[in-house]
Amino acid sequence: LEQDTVGWETYVTSHSKGTFYHLPQWYEVLRRSYNHHIFLLVSEDHQGSIQGCMPLVQISFPLLGSKLISLPYQAGIGGPIADADASAEMLVETAINLGLDVKADFIEIRNCTLDTLLKDKGFEKQTTGAFDSTVDLSDIELRKLRKNHIRDIKSARNWGIKVKGAEDLDNWRIFYEMFERQQRAFAMPGFGWKFFRELHRIDRLNVTMELAWMGNKCLGGTLLFAQGHILFHKISALEPRYLSHG
């Protein structure tokens, strides 16, 4: 992250496959939160214009060694985004050489659509428990969906529940503690307070936290990331005893 990231950010926001998880600010959060080594690879033409990019994060795992991962802390996005296959191939080759240089034991590229390219480079495809959830809007009964939402909203209002954006770091702390309890209940790892604190502090990162309140009691909340016209629902947390409140 020592390089100038303005060009990277401009490329990501203008690319059809660029996402929140490709933005350099996201990797600044990961670096500050977990002290990971971050590598932002770019492919440029002769004029110095970016033709492709690929973020990689080096993470060490007890007993499993070191991995270069594209992209960590989410399951549905990975690999390079590029204007042409040649640029994507160059980025993958650079990632392989980087892995050798930093003595990584593995390189993991998540949910990448470049199956043929990766296979030719020696990658093996593995299936995990993670999956993308995609909904065909043409099959949704919008009238029924609206009816159910209206019912739940009315139920929440009857309980006196109001939803509003987190106002300060103390509100973020409330959500963090709720989320960590929820993760422990399912024997899942949390993100740690430092991650939430850095998300709250980082500049030029469109992050929104919405919290549901009943009086002075926070019942739950959700963390949303926005990039362009896409809204990413990152995580939610809810006190189980309030599930029936809408």
Side-chain angles (χ1 to χ4, degrees), residues 29-124:
V29 169
L30 297 186
R31 186 187 67 81
R32 293 183 184 182
S33 302
Y34 306 118
N35 202 31
H36 293 324
H37 293 292
I38 311 294
F39 303 95
L40 303 181
L41 308 182
V42 296
S43 171
E44 298 178 339
D45 63 16
H46 296 298
Q47 286 74 43
S49 298
I50 295 178
Q51 303 296 303
C53 64
M54 182 176 178
L56 288 158
V57 180
Q58 187 175 14
I59 301 178
S60 296
F61 298 87
L63 305 179
L64 297 178
S66 171
K67 275 188 180 183
L68 279 179
I69 304 178
S70 177
L71 304 168
Y73 299 100
Q74 54 76 48
I77 302 167
I81 57 173
D83 295 342
D85 290 344
S87 295
E89 183 174 2
M90 185 181 300
L91 288 164
V92 171
E93 289 178 351
T94 303
I96 293 172
N97 291 330
L98 175 63
L100 295 173
D101 289 342
V102 301
K103 296 180 172 53
D105 297 289
F106 303 95
I107 299 176
E108 180 178 327
I109 302 179
R110 297 181 175 178
N111 201 38
C112 184
T113 58
L114 304 172
D115 288 351
T116 302
L117 170 61
L118 294 181
K119 185 177 180 180
D120 291 343
K121 299 298 180 184
F123 285 83
E124 295 182 2

Side-chain angles (χ1 to χ4, degrees), residues 143-203:
R143 184 176 300 177
K144 183 178 180 180
L145 188 64
R146 283 194 294 267
K147 182 178 179 180
N148 290 340
H149 281 176
I150 292 172
R151 179 201 63 203
D152 290 341
I153 291 170
K154 286 182 177 178
S155 174
R157 284 176 176 169
N158 290 336
W159 283 98
I161 297 172
K162 296 182 179 180
V163 176
K164 58 182 180 179
E167 297 177 349
D168 51 33
L169 194 58
D170 289 338
N171 281 177
W172 279 67
R173 183 84 191 192
I174 291 171
F175 177 87
Y176 153 74
E177 292 174 353
M178 191 182 306
F179 175 73
E180 293 292 307
R181 288 196 299 271
Q182 178 178 282
Q183 292 298 95
R184 287 195 297 270
F186 289 97
M188 298 287 290
F191 287 101
W193 169 239
K194 200 171 183 180
F195 170 79
F196 289 93
R197 187 185 67 194
E198 294 303 332
L199 266 182
H200 179 264
R201 289 179 176 178
I202 202 74
D203 292 330

